[in-house]
Amino acid sequence: MTLRFADLPLRAKGIVIITVPLALLLAALASVFVADRQSRIAEDQVRVTLEIQSGIQEIHASIAEAATAMRGYLLTGRTDFLDPFNRAEDRLPVVLDEVGRRLRDEEQKSRLERIRTLVVAKVDRLQLLKQADILRADGREDLAAKLIEGKQVLDELRQEIDAMSRREADLLHARTEAAERVRTLSRSLMIAAGFLGFAGALVAVFLFSASIVRRVHALKAEAHRLSQGKVVTVADPFRDELGSLGQALEDASVLLKKREADLTESEERFRQLVEGVSDYGIFGLDTSGRVISWNAGAERITGYGAEEIVGQHFSRFYPTETRDTFPAEELAEAALHGRTETEGRRVRKDGSQFWSHVVVTALHDETGRLRGFSKITRDITAQANRRGPAWCP
């Protein structure tokens, strides 16, 4: 995978390096969001279960209060004892509907319907007990039968309520455990999200370092070697821009080495050619007029060896009367016009003079800056002798 990544273009690498940690972070956040949502669902289920339990207890309490109120009324005949019964009669349908809306368990829904039927039956029987004729003496037997029948309905109702309460208690326990598991999972996912984000950052740093930074440093080192004229061998097999740059550096190194070798060979041939010329003195001067190169012809004409003259000012070849002025004028003329050509007397090492023909050429670099001069001197003493005494030194 690392090799395939290294072959990608730099733009694609940047996208991957940004996308990897971002995708991991988004995945971690999504998992935390899902876990949090599940936790809220589990907590809502626990809350609904508690509300259902509260509703069941309210139904049970309302039935008990209604029955107690009815017994007090039957015993005393006072209508104020019927207030709890009246409240329960109004409240029970509302509570039954609220509990029914909250139920999700099918078994509990069926049990609630049975409780609803029993509640209606119990309330109907309590309503019958409110009939005034039951309180008469001739209604005592009927009253006893109604109370026994009502007691049976109440017992059955209590059994159903107890069963429903136990079922809700079991559901509450299961849902509480589920909510705790979800909360634990949510905490674990949050921790995992942190580690995942950190791991994504490490992966991005590794990919960036392995595929870009390290190779850029290697290319920088090879470019430095290239600037020093050394051979560059870039061991970068990848096909991205950096790999192409490395190959270009290696190709440039080979080309520069070849050109350097060709230039060295050309310079050597030129040097041998110049040094082999014995009829002409050919030598180079720096911008101040000091000798920097010397050939065999110059040695033959002047009598100076290269080790004696290189580094010395060329004015020593001129007679004393012109030595302080003419050499500088000669160089200035060549620098101004590109070249100058003169004839005149010069002085050999042994002090003897000869008549010379001199061509001085200014040498400039590619920017036009003066780099020095080349000077070609030819001994024309013989021709001067043939011209007459006026030309002789």
Side-chain angles (χ1 to χ4, degrees), residues 76-127:
T76 64
R78 294 170 52 184
T79 57
D80 57 333
F81 277 94
L82 293 176
D83 291 340
F85 169 78
N86 294 330
R87 288 195 299 271
E89 187 178 21
D90 294 335
R91 178 63 180 163
L92 280 170
V94 176
V95 176
L96 287 169
D97 290 340
E98 290 177 351
V99 172
R101 284 195 300 270
R102 293 187 176 97
L103 286 176
R104 295 293 180 269
D105 185 72
E106 294 300 325
E107 179 182 343
Q108 290 292 75
K109 288 181 179 181
S110 300
R111 187 170 283 119
L112 180 65
E113 291 303 316
R114 292 196 295 272
I115 290 174
R116 189 190 299 274
T117 302
L118 291 171
V119 167
V120 172
K122 179 62 177 176
V123 171
D124 289 343
R125 283 165 174 75
L126 291 176
Q127 282 284 4

Side-chain angles (χ1 to χ4, degrees), residues 45-351:
Q45 290 177 342
V46 171
R47 178 182 55 79
V48 168
T49 303
L50 291 173
E51 291 174 351
I52 291 172
Q53 285 184 326
S54 176
I56 293 172
Q57 295 302 323
E58 186 176 356
I59 292 171
H60 186 272
S62 296
I63 290 294
E65 287 179 0
T68 301
M70 186 57 65
R71 284 195 297 271
Y73 167 69
L74 294 176
L75 290 173
T76 64
R78 294 170 52 184
T79 57
D80 57 333
F81 277 94
L82 293 176
D83 291 340
F85 169 78
N86 294 330
R87 288 195 299 271
E89 187 178 21
D90 294 335
R91 178 63 180 163
L92 280 170
V94 176
V95 176
L96 287 169
D97 290 340
E98 290 177 351
V99 172
R101 284 195 300 270
R102 293 187 176 97
L103 286 176
R104 295 293 180 269
D105 185 72
E106 294 300 325
E107 179 182 343
Q108 290 292 75
K109 288 181 179 181
S110 300
R111 187 170 283 119
L112 180 65
E113 291 303 316
R114 292 196 295 272
I115 290 174
R116 189 190 299 274
T117 302
L118 291 171
V119 167
V120 172
K122 179 62 177 176
V123 171
D124 289 343
R125 283 165 174 75
L126 291 176
Q127 282 284 4
L128 291 175
L129 293 176
K130 288 173 60 178
Q131 301 297 324
D133 58 347
I134 293 179
L135 297 177
R136 298 195 304 269
D138 57 353
R140 297 296 181 179
E141 293 183 1
D142 190 32
L143 174 60
K146 294 293 184 182
L147 289 174
I148 293 172
E149 185 180 353
K151 179 64 169 58
Q152 292 174 347
V153 173
L154 182 60
D155 290 341
E156 187 177 354
L157 181 60
R158 283 173 175 171
Q159 290 176 359
E160 291 293 338
I161 289 175
D162 289 342
M164 191 172 185
S165 297
R166 288 194 298 272
R167 175 62 179 169
E168 284 301 320
D170 293 339
L171 291 174
L172 177 62
H173 179 72
R175 288 168 179 172
T176 302
E177 287 186 343
E180 184 61 31
R181 287 195 299 271
V182 171
R183 283 193 291 269
T184 301
L185 177 61
S186 178
R187 288 192 294 269
S188 301
L189 285 176
M190 290 181 66
I191 295 172
F195 280 110
L196 196 60
F198 181 70
L202 288 180
V203 169
V205 169
F206 170 76
L207 291 175
F208 184 76
S209 176
S211 65
I212 298 178
V213 176
R214 192 184 310 166
R215 295 167 63 202
V216 167
H217 287 168
L219 288 174
K220 180 181 178 181
E222 293 301 325
H224 182 65
R225 287 173 53 85
L226 180 62
S227 68
Q228 294 176 336
K230 298 178 181 179
V231 177
V232 173
T233 303
V234 181
D236 193 336
F238 305 116
R239 296 188 296 272
D240 62 349
E241 292 88 341
L242 293 179
S244 300
L245 179 59
Q247 186 60 51
L249 283 177
E250 188 169 347
D251 294 342
S253 173
V254 173
L255 180 60
L256 288 176
K257 273 298 177 182
K258 183 177 182 304
R259 289 183 176 177
E260 182 181 353
D262 293 342
L263 181 60
T264 301
E265 183 180 357
S266 176
E267 289 178 347
E268 180 63 21
R269 287 198 301 266
F270 181 75
R271 185 188 64 80
Q272 292 176 355
L273 176 63
V274 170
E275 290 182 353
V277 175
S278 59
D279 292 335
Y280 290 85
I282 303 174
F283 53 96
L285 304 175
D286 63 15
T287 55
S288 65
R290 296 186 181 277
V291 178
I292 57 176
S293 65
W294 195 251
N295 80 327
E299 182 176 353
R300 185 189 66 79
I301 293 172
T302 64
Y304 289 101
E307 68 281 356
E308 299 175 285
I309 201 63
V310 171
Q312 302 297 318
H313 199 274
F314 83 109
S315 60
R316 69 164 46 195
F317 307 135
Y318 290 76
T320 305
E321 60 271 20
T322 61
R323 182 174 299 172
D324 294 334
T325 58
F326 191 72
E329 293 174 358
E330 195 173 31
L331 294 184
E333 180 74 13
L336 180 62
H337 300 289
R339 69 189 296 273
T340 182
E341 185 173 352
T342 61
E343 292 182 356
R345 289 180 297 159
R346 302 294 183 266
V347 180
R348 295 188 179 94
K349 178 181 178 181
D350 59 8

Side-chain angles (χ1 to χ4, degrees), residues 7-67:
D7 286 334
L8 294 176
L10 291 179
R11 180 180 298 177
K13 283 188 178 74
I15 294 174
V16 171
I17 289 171
I18 295 173
T19 302
V20 167
L22 183 60
L24 292 175
L25 180 61
L26 290 177
L29 291 176
S31 63
V32 171
F33 173 77
V34 171
D36 182 67
R37 183 171 179 273
Q38 293 299 321
S39 177
R40 289 198 302 270
I41 292 174
E43 290 173 356
D44 287 343
Q45 290 177 342
V46 171
R47 178 182 55 79
V48 168
T49 303
L50 291 173
E51 291 174 351
I52 291 172
Q53 285 184 326
S54 176
I56 293 172
Q57 295 302 323
E58 186 176 356
I59 292 171
H60 186 272
S62 296
I63 290 294
E65 287 179 0

